Amino acid sequence: MSGITYEDFLDLSYTPTETDLVCTFRIAPADGMSMEAAASRVASESSNGTWAALHIDDTFTDMGATTFAIDGDTIKVAYPAGLFEAGNMPQVLSCIAGNIMGMKAVDTIRLEDCEWPEAIVSGYRGPQFGSGVRSEIFGVEDRPILATVPKPKVGLSTAKHAEVGYEAWVGGVDLLKDDENLTDQPFNPFSDRLTESLAMRDKAQDETGEVKSYLVNVTAETNEMLERADEVASQGNEYVMVDVVTCGWAAVQTLRERCEELGLAIHAHRAMHAAFDRLPDHGVSMRVLAQVSRLCGVDQLHTGTAGLGKLANEDTVGINEWLRSDLYGMTDVLPTASGGLHPGLVPALMDATGTNMCIQVGGGIHGHPEGTRAGAAAFRQAVDATVAGVPMDEYAADHAELATALEKWGTE
Ligand code: CAP
Ligand code: MG
C-alpha cells in the first residue's frame, strides 16, 4: 500500500518535461499555513489529490501535478499532459482553475499564466483566420480594421440600427458590431437585423468601393447559436460575434467547429472577464483567458486599450504579444481595442498596440457633434493620419470631422 499525501506534490528539484502544462499561480497561504504546504495543496487539488492521505495500491496511473518552483508569492506547477482530455477546454479549466480557487488553504490564488505544450495545443482547432482577416476579408495591409457599436447599446429599432450602420460604414469604418446585450429582443429581432443591416452593408459597399462587414452577435444557447451562425452564412456575411465568457468555452468550441464548415470568422467579446481577472490577487488573469480563447479558436478578441479609455485593463500589450506569438504553428488572434475610445486617443493607442489590430469606437463615433457619419470619418482620419505619421492637429487642419472630434474630446 502506498500513500498519496500533500508532500507528494512538491518537488523543487523537478524539471518539467516538454509535454507538461506549466501554470504560474500567485498565492497567499491561509493563516498558519506555510508557503510549501499551500503550494503542494494547489498541485494536489488541481490534479489527482484530495484532503486525505490515501491508502491504495499502485494500480493507478499517476496523474499528479508537481509544484516545482516557489519564488516569493509565485509558484509554478507542472501537470502531466495525460491528465487532460484532448481538445476539452472545460476539463482543463476544471483542473487548473477549478476547486483550488475556493480552497481554504489559501486566502487568495490567481492563475497568472500557462505555458502550453504542443501535446495539448495540438488537440485544439485554434483560429481559422486570425489576423489574416485584415487582408483576406478587407484587403487592408497597413492599418488596423475599424469597428463601431451603435449606441444606445440596446433599444434602437431594427431600421434605426441598420441606418446607424450605414452611416458609420459610409463614414469610414469597416465593421458594424452589435453590442453584447443585443441578441434577439422584440425591439430589434436577430433575423430582421441581420437582413436589414446587410442590405445597408451592400449599399455602403457600392457607394464606397470598400469591403464592409458585420460583427453580428449570435450569443445564445448553443443550438440556437449554431442556427444563427447558419443564417449569417446563408446571408453572405463574413463574421459572427460571440460573448465567450458568458456563453462558455464548450459553446465556443462548438461554434468554432460550425464556423469552419461555414467559413465564418469569430469576433470574441469578453463580457464578465473582469469577474475573473479584475482582482489583482485572485481569479484567472486575462492573459490566461486570452490563451484559452485562442486555443478554442476565436479570430478576434477584445484585450483592452493599453490603459486608455473607460475600462480597467490588464497588460494589453503583453496579452496582444502572446496572441500574435508562435504557438506550434497555430494561427494568431487579432486583438481588438475597445472601451471609451475616441479619435484623439488613436495615436497613443496605435503607438502602444501597432497596426495589426481591430479598433472599436462606439460612443466616440456616435457622440460626435455632427453625428455618426462625421464621427466615423473622424475616426478613420485619425487612423489614416497616424499610419502616415502626421500629427493630429496638422491632419485636422484640412479634415473638418477630425477637427470637431479633437475639439470635443481632446487627445486624452
Ligand atoms: C465599447 C463597448 C464594449 C467594451 C467592452 C461598450 O463601447 O461596446 O462592450 O469595449 O470592454 O459597450 O462599452 P464604447 P472590453 O466604444 O462606447 O466605449 O473591450 O474591454 O472587453
Ligand atoms: Mg459593448
Side-chain angles (χ1 to χ4, degrees):
M1 301 283 270
S2 64
I4 300 181
T5 66
Y6 283 136
E7 288 68 39
D8 297 333
F9 297 88
L10 180 71
D11 180 358
L12 298 179
S13 67
Y14 179 79
T15 304
T17 71
E18 66 173 22
T19 59
D20 284 351
L21 169 63
V22 173
C23 294
T24 303
F25 297 91
R26 279 194 307 112
I27 64 174
D31 263 2
M33 173 88 50
S34 72
M35 193 65 191
E36 286 73 15
S40 59
R41 281 164 172 75
V42 171
S44 165
E45 186 66 41
S46 58
S47 60
N48 69 348
T50 186
W51 62 274
L54 301 181
H55 300 281
I56 54 172
D57 62 26
D58 55 8
T59 57
F60 69 99
T61 310
D62 186 3
M63 288 296 139
T66 306
T67 297
F68 65 93
I70 300 178
D71 181 9
D73 64 355
T74 301
I75 67 169
K76 284 185 183 279
V77 181
Y79 297 86
L83 173 62
F84 305 108
E85 180 188 340
N88 184 340
M89 187 53 77
Q91 189 264 347
V92 171
L93 293 173
S94 293
C95 297
I96 64 173
N99 296 355
I100 52 174
M101 292 290 148
M103 256 182 8
K104 286 181 179 171
V106 291
D107 283 344
T108 57
I109 174 169
R110 191 170 199 260
L111 174 56
E112 294 284 4
D113 196 10
C114 297
E115 292 160 53
W116 302 88
E118 188 168 15
I120 292 176
V121 170
S122 61
Y124 292 86
R125 284 169 195 269
Q128 201 180 166
F129 305 97
S131 67
V133 292
R134 288 166 70 230
S135 54
E136 286 175 42
I137 298 177
F138 300 99
V140 164
E141 302 286 347
D142 62 343
R143 65 166 174 87
I145 53 173
L146 314 181
T148 191
V149 183
K151 301 284 173 173
K153 294 161 97 103
V154 283
L156 294 177
S157 67
T158 302
K160 188 68 190 168
H161 179 100
E163 184 195 319
V164 172
Y166 168 76
E167 291 290 313
W169 275 316
V170 170
V173 305
D174 307 292
L175 287 156
L176 173 68
K177 176 184 156 313
D178 284 346
D179 225 318
E180 64 280 356
N181 49 3
L182 179 64
T183 54
D184 186 31
Q185 294 102 314
F187 61 82
N188 191 352
F190 179 85
S191 292
D192 295 352
R193 183 168 77 254
L194 177 65
T195 307
E196 291 188 32
S197 298
L198 290 180
M200 286 301 193
R201 186 275 299 262
D202 293 347
K203 195 165 169 252
Q205 279 191 158
D206 288 347
E207 287 173 26
T208 60
E210 294 183 340
V211 176
K212 307 289 184 184
S213 194
Y214 181 21
L215 307 176
V216 57
N217 186 12
V218 297
T219 305
E221 179 281 322
T222 308
N223 289 325
E224 178 63 37
M225 189 154 67
L226 297 180
E227 279 178 28
R228 290 181 192 173
D230 290 346
E231 195 179 338
V232 171
S234 75
Q235 295 226 18
N237 191 42
E238 292 80 7
Y239 282 92
V240 291
M241 164 185 152
V242 62
D243 227 336
V244 289
V245 180
T246 54
C247 89
W249 304 110
V252 175
Q253 290 190 267
T254 305
L255 179 66
R256 167 65 181 85
E257 194 178 342
R258 181 64 65 91
C259 284
E260 180 126 2
E261 290 163 25
L262 300 172
L264 289 173
I266 299 175
H267 177 86
H269 193 271
R270 55 171 184 165
M272 206 169 131
H273 73 94
F276 297 93
D277 65 31
R278 184 153 188 192
L279 295 180
D281 294 329
H282 189 81
V284 179
S285 69
M286 182 58 210
R287 183 180 178 85
V288 171
L289 297 179
Q291 295 171 347
V292 167
S293 301
R294 182 175 179 184
L295 292 175
C296 290
V298 309
D299 298 286
Q300 304 184 175
L301 173 68
H302 287 238
T303 60
T305 49
L308 304 157
K310 72 180 181 186
L311 298 164
N313 287 161
E314 171 193 312
D315 187 22
T316 303
V317 172
I319 293 168
N320 291 357
E321 266 170 24
W322 191 92
L323 290 173
R324 294 166 177 145
S325 67
D326 181 53
L327 190 63
Y328 315 105
M330 182 174 272
T331 306
D332 66 354
V333 174
L334 186 71
T336 299
S338 174
L341 294 175
H342 58 74
L345 294 175
V346 166
L349 178 72
M350 283 175 58
D351 187 43
T353 63
T355 53
N356 197 10
M357 291 285 296
C358 174
I359 308 177
Q360 189 293 128
V361 174
I365 282 183
H366 312 293
H368 190 286
E370 283 139 30
T372 293
R373 188 185 298 215
F379 177 31
R380 178 74 173 264
Q381 289 159 7
V383 171
D384 289 346
T386 308
V387 169
V390 179
M392 284 288 98
D393 48 354
E394 201 177 298
Y395 206 80
D398 50 3
H399 292 88
E401 295 91 344
L402 180 59
T404 303
L406 294 179
E407 212 170 289
K408 182 163 179 67
W409 290 304
T411 55
E412 282 172 18

